[in-house]
Amino acid sequence: MRPTFDRPFAITMWDFSWLERRWPGAGYEDWDQVLAELVDRGYDAVRIEAYPHLVAADPYRTWELLPVWNQQSWGAPSIVHVQVLPALLDFLRAAKRHGVAVALSSWFREDRDNTRMAAHTPTDFGQMWLQTLQHIDQADLLDTILYVDFCNEFPLEIWAPWLYADQLLRNAARYDLPAETLLTDVMPGIQSRASDRVVDWMRRSIEVAREVYPDLDYTYSTTTELTTWQSQDVSMLDVLEPHVWLADNDYSDYYKVIGYNYERFSTIGYDNLVRIGRQTYEENREKYDAALFRMIDTVADWSRATGKALYITECWSIVDYKDWPGLEWDWILDITARAVEYAAATGRFVGIATSNFCGPQFVGMWREIEWHQRLTSVIKNSPIDEDLRTRSLDR
């Protein structure tokens, strides 16, 4: 239920890895063990995939999920089979035993039948989430929920393809294109969160859940259009969750310079990162640090202007990284530490992550126990502005 913001949460992101990375050595085979390790590092919250589209379709079915990539260490690099319930409830029970709050989100993982495309209207979409919350409520686990993020990094096509389905069909029909036409040739451009359609989608979908569960915090996480927040209506959101990195934000050209383009099934991007990634940063450290800190200031200004608290669970250094030949962790840890300290001092964050690599599959970061403990102490002892600390009394 809605938390009081006496101090920030030290939060991490376990995305869909918590359920999809359970083969031997993948990191999440034993939830009690990995949650104990998380708490030992000082964390007290985690954001995970809740698979609301699969819960709404058939929560007890075994679903065959397709890989969203094979170059990243989040989730499975190949086909994987999952059953959402009772696994989600079992994970929530384990988190509760360890005193870990859980934020729910969804990356809308693609199954063999592409069930995620069933969300034709905001009401349909809201109903998916409502049904998921009802299962949690019936299991008497609603008190474990920190907040609900209706869609990861909305409205990127990779995570919200259902938002573009109708326009995609119109584009294909308009030009009478053959069946072998590439999807990229007809895919509409990313929709803006300032557009009437996207605002209406956010508002109406959240209303479905809020009507039944008014004491939960709801949001849509974001990573684009952060510098144009003034033009966006976020009145329907209870909290904000922007994702901020040094490598890719409106003030930084880092990925463009090194030649990283989010290649999901090719090593080219990582090859370029190995070749010149660290060197490019170190030769231009002042420039790139300034771009990162400027973006932190930007989202803090957004929070002040709207009166909405900030959570951040994906953040700070490089967007994509992993244990890999030629990729050292020390410079990533250094960037991250400075960013955490800078963000914590703003007084606007009520939940701060150290990184989106804070999981057992990222061995080079996970093993740095004292580093985690130092930063989670910084997070949990950082200030929260008065207007956010009294928020729960005003609603």
Side-chain angles (χ1 to χ4, degrees):
M1 308 305 280
R2 178 172 292 114
T4 55
F5 297 138
D6 301 319
R7 63 163 180 79
F9 288 87
I11 191 169
T12 189
M13 176 198 75
W14 284 355
D15 52 273
F16 36 93
S17 297
W18 72 272
L19 185 58
E20 297 179 32
R21 294 187 62 89
R22 305 203 72 197
W23 66 88
Y28 299 87
E29 305 95 305
D30 185 330
W31 292 326
D32 275 303
Q33 177 181 331
V34 73
L35 284 164
E37 292 174 358
L38 185 71
V39 171
D40 182 52
R41 286 157 175 76
Y43 298 89
D44 55 2
V46 62
R47 172 172 167 255
I48 65 167
E49 167 72 77
Y51 304 91
H53 56 307
L54 304 183
V55 171
D58 186 346
Y60 297 101
R61 172 179 167 180
T62 297
W63 296 91
E64 184 177 78
L65 303 184
L66 308 182
V68 66
W69 44 50
N70 64 13
Q71 293 301 303
Q72 310 302 347
S73 297
W74 300 288
S78 186
I79 290 171
V80 65
H81 295 86
V82 302
Q83 184 179 3
V84 182
L85 294 187
L88 177 60
L89 304 179
D90 290 341
F91 183 90
L92 293 177
R93 291 187 186 99
K96 189 173 184 176
R97 287 194 296 273
H98 292 273
V100 175
V102 179
L104 302 179
S105 184
S106 189
W107 288 252
F108 289 91
R109 293 283 288 110
E110 182 181 1
D111 67 282
R112 183 66 69 181
D113 300 325
N114 212 3
T115 303
R116 60 188 178 166
M117 302 304 286
H120 300 298
T121 70
T123 300
D124 294 338
F125 192 66
Q127 283 291 336
M128 290 179 179
W129 272 111
L130 177 58
Q131 291 179 50
T132 303
L133 292 173
Q134 286 172 330
H135 282 286
I136 295 169
D137 188 14
Q138 290 163 10
D140 197 26
L141 290 166
L142 212 58
D143 61 346
T144 64
I145 305 306
L146 184 59
Y147 63 93
V148 182
D149 168 25
F150 268 40
C151 181
N152 179 62
E153 297 178 346
F154 192 70
L156 294 183
E157 304 107 309
I158 187 174
W159 310 127
W162 29 265
L163 189 68
Y164 301 86
D166 57 345
Q167 185 62 55
L168 181 64
L169 292 174
R170 285 197 296 270
N171 286 355
R174 180 182 305 146
Y175 301 110
D176 193 26
L177 297 172
E180 62 270 18
T181 300
L182 294 175
L183 183 63
T184 53
D185 292 338
V186 292
M187 177 64 78
I190 297 175
Q191 297 207 15
S192 169
R193 282 193 307 281
S195 70
D196 290 343
R197 180 172 185 247
V198 172
V199 169
D200 180 66
W201 188 284
M202 292 191 294
R203 185 181 307 282
R204 289 172 56 198
S205 58
I206 286 177
E207 284 175 353
V208 173
R210 182 177 284 141
E211 183 177 356
V212 180
Y213 296 109
D215 293 330
L216 288 173
D217 279 337
Y218 301 99
T219 194
Y220 276 82
S221 62
T222 60
T223 191
T224 55
E225 300 182 284
L226 298 183
T227 58
T228 58
W229 60 261
Q230 296 94 333
S231 65
Q232 299 172 41
D233 179 1
V234 293
S235 59
M236 76 295 293
L237 308 182
D238 295 300
V239 294
L240 303 174
E241 193 194 332
H243 298 161
V244 173
W245 291 276
L246 175 151
D248 189 8
N249 70 61
D250 288 346
Y251 306 127
S252 175
D253 63 358
Y254 177 82
Y255 267 169
K256 181 178 180 180
V257 169
I258 71 166
Y260 190 86
N261 296 292
Y262 296 98
E263 293 86 356
R264 292 190 285 143
F265 295 95
S266 167
T267 65
I268 292 174
Y270 273 105
D271 292 342
N272 290 338
L273 184 58
V274 169
R275 183 171 57 87
I276 59 171
R278 180 171 188 157
Q279 175 186 346
T280 299
Y281 168 72
E282 291 181 342
E283 290 177 353
N284 300 275
R285 171 174 164 170
E286 184 175 343
K287 167 188 170 180
Y288 288 122
D289 281 1
L292 172 59
F293 297 155
R294 185 181 177 190
M295 184 55 76
I296 294 172
D297 289 337
T298 295
V299 298
D301 287 343
W302 191 13
S303 170
R304 294 186 188 100
T306 58
K308 298 183 186 297
L310 295 169
Y311 285 99
I312 189 162
T313 65
E314 302 188 44
C315 48
W316 305 141
S317 56
I318 309 299
V319 183
D320 297 335
Y321 211 71
K322 59 184 175 180
D323 298 299
W324 193 250
L327 294 183
E328 302 91 357
W329 283 95
D330 58 322
W331 66 294
I332 301 299
L333 300 177
D334 183 53
I335 295 169
T336 296
R338 291 198 304 279
V340 167
E341 291 165 352
Y342 191 95
T346 66
R348 303 310 299 179
F349 287 88
V350 297
I352 302 177
T354 54
S355 175
N356 45 309
F357 312 125
C358 178
Q361 72 269 44
F362 298 98
V363 177
M365 179 173 281
W366 191 247
R367 68 188 176 192
E368 300 292 338
I369 298 175
E370 291 183 1
W371 178 88
H372 288 283
Q373 291 171 339
R374 182 178 75 82
L375 289 184
T376 53
S377 179
V378 168
I379 291 168
K380 292 191 287 189
N381 287 285
S382 62
I384 295 178
D385 286 351
E386 180 68 16
D387 64 307
L388 301 180
R389 287 191 287 110
T390 60
R391 177 205 69 152
S392 59
L393 302 177
D394 297 333
R395 287 195 55 166

